[in-house]
Amino acid sequence: MENTKIGSCGWFGTIDAFLNTKASSEWLQHLCDHHLACMNSSADESQVLAWKNSYVALTAVLQQVLCHRPSAGEWSIIFEYELPRERGRRPDVIILTRSVVLVLEFKDFGQVFETHVDQVRAYARDLRHYHAASHHNLVKPILVLTKATNLLNERDDATVVAPDQLSAVLVCSADMLGPAIEPRAWVQADYAPLPSLVSAARRIFEHEPLPQIRRAQSAGIPETIATLVDIAKQAQARGERHLALVTGVPGAGKTLVGLQFVYANHFQDADAERSAVFLSGNGPLVKVLQHALKSTIFVQDVHGFLKQYGGQNGRVPEEHIWVYDEAQRAWDAQRVNEKRGHATSEPEDFLRIGERMNSWAFMVGLIGEGQEIHLGEEAGLTQWNHAIANMSQPWIVHCPSKVSHLFAAAGRVETSGNLDLTNTLRSHLADDVQLWVRHLLEGDLAAAARAAQRVTRDGFDIYVTRSLQIAKDYVTQRYLGNQEKRYGLIASSKAKNLPEWDIQNGYNFTKNLREGQWYNDPPHSRLSCCQLRDVATEFACQGLELDFPIVGWGSDLLWRGAAWASPPQRRSSARDPHQLRINSYRVLLTRGRDGFIVFVPPESTMDSTYEALVTAGLRALIEANGAKRLDSENDGVADEVRSLGLRA
């Protein structure tokens, strides 16, 4: 038998070699051994039966392919290829033709489920973007429904096919052009997926190199960090005080930049004093990162830091570099007075600490856009200029040109494009997600619909449903068996109607959320987000991410025919309560890495909101378990199959 034992897959060889195997012999044993190595558990009877069924189906199909194209015997076939660093994600079968990567997922169903289509599309998407040997080849997702007959259709970029039509699809795919694939090099090629923020932080502080992510490289993150390092060296060498502001869209990697910069200063010299700390007013983010890193040294709560060193306190910290995440959300003087008893804004507190330092200081503010959601955060960047104006010593400001006009009080302003991160990393591939959210919340539904087409084409799945159970079924089925994927319920804290629909977003429930376990625990843990019980509000999910959140859309933001409206909030002291609602939904809609589902309660008062979201391009999940039959009309591949006269 010509199988080559390679750790990243269960079985690898040519189609000729596969057709000469026996289902109950070495081939099946390889798959069982691989499952045990990957999952630390033996394959159950249903999995073994599925492998045997796929063997029978593939044997018949591949023999038909050889009748039409004898050279296909030299194609390579790979079973249970595990996507490295993504424990539990294994496409059923990959076939390497001369120049095309075919990703096959077998499902024992006779109808189409959105979860199954999206699952195989995600496999192909990630191979296309993160697998080094697939960057320049066509990667084609194929969903095989083993209980269907005479089915051949396309759903987005995926082919959905019954076994009796599969041979024709494989023959047609072989004619697609591209660079030749060397099979062994393909199986052993590097796979560098984009890690989540928590995963990336864990690797950074365990001294592990991050994968060479093409998307992060092209987004300019290394250049941003290099610019900050240069500024720090200048401040230290000249005994100066510098303020750098790094702006970016949600998910652009600002927090990752801050963590990497702090890491570089912590460990650049083992004998040097600790020179940098990462600070955040986002309590849940601090808890999640401290839980993941098992340390309270690198990441600290900004309010605790300023309570210790701010105000009239004459103490100075050990660190000379302070990285403040979401610095545009710094508290104003009124909020500080309410919470800490002195009427000094947080920006002024920081700069006064810097002036007390006997040598140098470097303040780095990571600036998110449109995410002020707490009281006291609405003054934004202008607070930092007011703080500079109140200082007795000069501060040098470094920032993108788009905000440089805000800092007239600075002794000097130096602009740099490296300090503006414009590409989102959170939604792996869909730069247009941020644009879609902006158009939606601005009320331009037509523009949002156009952006949604690009979003879904790039492999970011966006849905809306009136049934919470359908949404839960979708995410649990899509990520069944995946230990690293995270999905959960998130919702606006002001949506008063959601508890009626089993989304407990009220304060008495959410105050007990254990954020570290909610984000980090494995799916089977009672405290994991994947249990779909506990709810994270905008306050608990800002700056963090899930692979596929279910977003509860409540009565606190309703579509009124031409614009979004929020009901009056009694006793609210916010300067602009409606803008805070808009910002809260901006946060909620930008938490997903693979996509999201919006749940709109089936209330008559919510009908117009649901219709607005559909008009804006969200796909409707409306049938049991997210199932949706495809139209009977064939396109693309089916037309080509008919033109060749191929039938099973």
Side-chain angles (χ1 to χ4, degrees):
M1 183 176 61
E2 192 189 320
N3 172 52
T4 302
K5 181 63 177 173
I6 296 179
S8 59
C9 63
W11 195 94
F12 165 59
T14 65
I15 285 178
D16 279 341
F18 170 70
L19 292 177
N20 289 324
T21 65
K22 299 294 183 182
S24 58
S25 62
E26 190 175 352
W27 172 82
L28 186 59
Q29 189 60 51
H30 276 312
L31 299 191
C32 292
D33 292 345
H34 181 62
H35 187 281
L36 180 62
C38 290
M39 306 302 295
N40 198 31
S41 63
S42 299
D44 57 28
E45 292 183 6
S46 63
Q47 178 63 78
V48 174
L49 179 60
W51 284 332
K52 291 180 178 179
N53 290 341
S54 67
Y55 174 86
V56 173
L58 273 173
T59 298
V61 166
L62 294 176
Q63 287 172 343
Q64 295 165 6
V65 171
L66 289 179
C67 291
H68 293 285
R69 193 177 296 270
S71 61
E74 296 302 313
W75 295 352
S76 294
I77 186 166
I78 306 164
F79 291 88
E80 297 291 317
Y81 173 75
E82 184 181 38
L83 303 182
R85 301 192 184 99
E86 297 198 33
R87 186 162 54 101
R89 293 189 71 208
R90 304 186 308 278
D92 289 339
V93 178
I94 293 176
I95 294 177
L96 306 178
T97 72
R98 190 192 68 82
S99 61
V100 179
V101 180
L102 302 175
V103 183
L104 281 68
E105 189 70 13
F106 288 78
K107 298 296 182 183
D108 289 330
F109 289 87
Q111 62 176 337
V112 181
F113 286 78
E114 295 285 1
T115 50
H116 299 157
V117 175
D118 292 343
Q119 181 185 26
V120 70
R121 290 179 65 239
Y123 285 146
R125 176 201 65 196
D126 290 348
L127 286 171
R128 190 180 303 120
H129 288 270
Y130 304 137
H131 186 258
S134 300
H135 292 332
H136 304 293
N137 294 91
L138 176 66
V139 183
K140 182 67 178 175
I142 301 173
L143 174 63
V144 184
L145 301 181
T146 61
K147 294 185 178 180
T149 57
N150 196 31
L151 172 65
L152 176 57
N153 215 312
E154 293 231 338
R155 174 71 167 175
D156 298 317
D157 60 340
T159 298
V160 182
V161 63
D164 60 3
Q165 299 291 317
L166 180 57
S167 62
V169 172
L170 299 182
V171 170
C172 290
S173 299
D175 293 326
M176 299 174 182
L177 300 178
I181 298 173
E182 202 292 302
R184 180 176 292 274
W186 191 94
V187 175
Q188 297 176 330
D190 186 38
Y191 177 82
L194 177 67
S196 68
L197 170 64
V198 174
S199 172
R202 194 180 289 118
R203 291 183 196 175
I204 290 170
F205 288 95
E206 289 176 354
H207 312 288
E208 297 180 10
L210 287 175
Q212 293 300 306
I213 304 164
R214 293 190 306 150
R215 188 170 179 78
Q217 298 288 332
S218 63
I221 286 179
E223 290 80 4
T224 302
I225 295 171
T227 298
L228 294 176
V229 169
D230 289 343
I231 297 171
K233 290 178 179 177
Q234 177 185 331
Q236 184 176 16
R238 300 178 183 178
E240 297 173 335
R241 292 160 181 81
H242 291 246
L243 168 64
L245 300 171
V246 179
T247 61
V249 299
K254 299 182 298 297
T255 303
L256 186 59
V257 164
L259 289 169
Q260 286 187 279
F261 180 57
V262 167
Y263 169 85
N265 282 277
H266 261 298
F267 299 106
Q268 61 183 347
D269 186 345
D271 298 324
E273 64 180 2
R274 191 171 74 236
S275 63
V277 64
F278 184 95
L279 301 167
S280 176
N282 184 339
L285 175 66
V286 171
K287 292 176 183 177
V288 170
L289 289 175
Q290 288 180 342
H291 181 270
L293 300 178
K294 297 178 174 60
S295 171
T296 59
I297 296 175
F298 312 115
V299 179
Q300 298 179 28
D301 176 65
V302 71
H303 305 304
F305 182 89
L306 289 177
K307 184 177 181 180
Q308 184 173 7
Y309 300 111
Q312 302 303 313
N313 193 322
R315 300 179 62 186
V316 294
E318 177 182 351
E319 302 89 354
H320 288 256
I321 301 173
W322 317 307
V323 178
Y324 186 4
D325 196 28
E326 301 291 352
Q328 84 287 353
R329 298 174 57 197
W331 284 356
D332 57 22
Q334 178 181 344
R335 189 67 168 172
V336 173
N337 192 39
E338 293 172 358
K339 294 295 184 179
R340 293 199 283 269
H342 62 89
T344 306
S345 72
E346 286 187 342
E348 188 168 337
D349 247 357
F350 271 116
L351 300 193
R352 290 199 183 281
I353 295 170
E355 293 200 337
R356 292 201 302 269
M357 303 291 287
N358 58 10
S359 54
W360 63 283
F362 182 24
M363 179 81 218
V364 179
L366 307 177
I367 309 298
E369 299 174 0
Q371 297 197 65
E372 299 80 14
I373 58 177
H374 288 273
L375 293 176
E377 297 177 349
E378 298 167 273
L381 280 180
T382 57
Q383 286 195 102
W384 292 91
N385 183 60
H386 294 157
I388 292 172
N390 291 332
M391 295 301 107
S392 59
Q393 299 182 34
W395 280 78
I396 300 169
V397 173
H398 306 262
C399 62
S401 58
K402 67 182 183 182
V403 297
S404 61
H405 65 283
L406 298 175
F407 297 97
R412 186 167 80 245
V413 178
E414 297 183 2
T415 62
S416 171
N418 290 340
L419 299 179
D420 187 24
L421 299 172
T422 58
N423 296 323
T424 180
L425 298 178
R426 180 176 297 121
S427 50
H428 299 287
L429 315 167
D431 291 329
D432 289 315
V433 171
Q434 304 298 333
L435 181 62
W436 179 83
V437 172
R438 192 186 82 192
H439 286 320
L440 174 72
L441 295 178
E442 289 177 351
D444 191 344
L445 303 188
R450 291 191 293 271
Q453 292 179 345
R454 297 189 293 272
V455 164
T456 55
R457 184 183 62 231
D458 286 341
F460 190 87
D461 301 312
I462 51 179
Y463 292 108
V464 63
T465 183
R466 308 301 295 268
S467 167
L468 184 59
Q469 190 59 51
I470 285 177
K472 289 182 176 182
D473 288 344
Y474 175 96
V475 293
T476 53
Q477 288 298 314
R478 173 160 177 169
Y479 297 117
L480 187 65
N482 291 335
Q483 297 300 306
E484 303 300 325
K485 291 294 187 177
R486 294 293 180 269
Y487 46 87
L489 296 170
I490 63 177
S492 166
S493 62
K494 300 295 185 181
K496 303 301 184 184
N497 62 328
L498 291 180
E500 300 176 21
W501 304 97
D502 204 27
I503 296 181
Q504 301 298 334
N505 62 325
Y507 177 74
N508 289 334
F509 288 91
T510 59
K511 69 178 181 180
N512 297 318
L513 183 71
R514 299 171 67 178
E515 292 91 346
Q517 290 87 339
W518 196 81
Y519 283 98
N520 294 328
D521 275 9
H524 60 77
S525 168
R526 184 179 64 84
L527 298 176
S528 170
C529 58
C530 298
Q531 293 291 307
L532 298 173
R533 294 169 52 253
D534 298 325
V535 179
T537 68
E538 67 270 29
F539 304 122
C541 67
Q542 186 171 45
L544 292 159
E545 57 194 1
L546 295 171
D547 292 288
F548 218 100
I550 298 173
V551 182
W553 195 295
S555 56
D556 57 330
L557 191 65
L558 299 173
W559 182 253
R560 296 302 191 194
W564 295 102
S566 52
Q569 296 181 28
R570 291 179 294 177
R571 299 186 299 275
S572 175
S573 58
R575 300 176 186 178
D576 187 348
H578 177 68
Q579 188 59 49
L580 290 183
R581 291 300 89 223
I582 291 291
N583 289 351
S584 293
Y585 278 87
R586 192 188 316 278
V587 169
L588 295 171
L589 292 170
T590 53
R591 298 306 96 192
R593 288 164 53 83
D594 290 339
F596 59 80
I597 301 174
V598 175
F599 163 65
V600 180
E603 305 170 5
S604 59
T605 55
M606 302 293 296
D607 289 349
S608 60
T609 298
Y610 174 81
E611 292 165 3
L613 293 172
V614 172
T615 302
L618 295 190
R619 293 183 175 182
L621 284 178
I622 56 176
E623 298 181 25
N625 297 320
K628 183 176 291 184
R629 293 185 180 276
L630 297 176
D631 295 335
S632 59
E633 296 179 0
N634 291 325
D635 54 12
V637 172
D639 291 338
E640 187 173 358
V641 168
R642 284 197 300 271
S643 70
L644 292 173
L646 293 172
R647 295 284 296 179

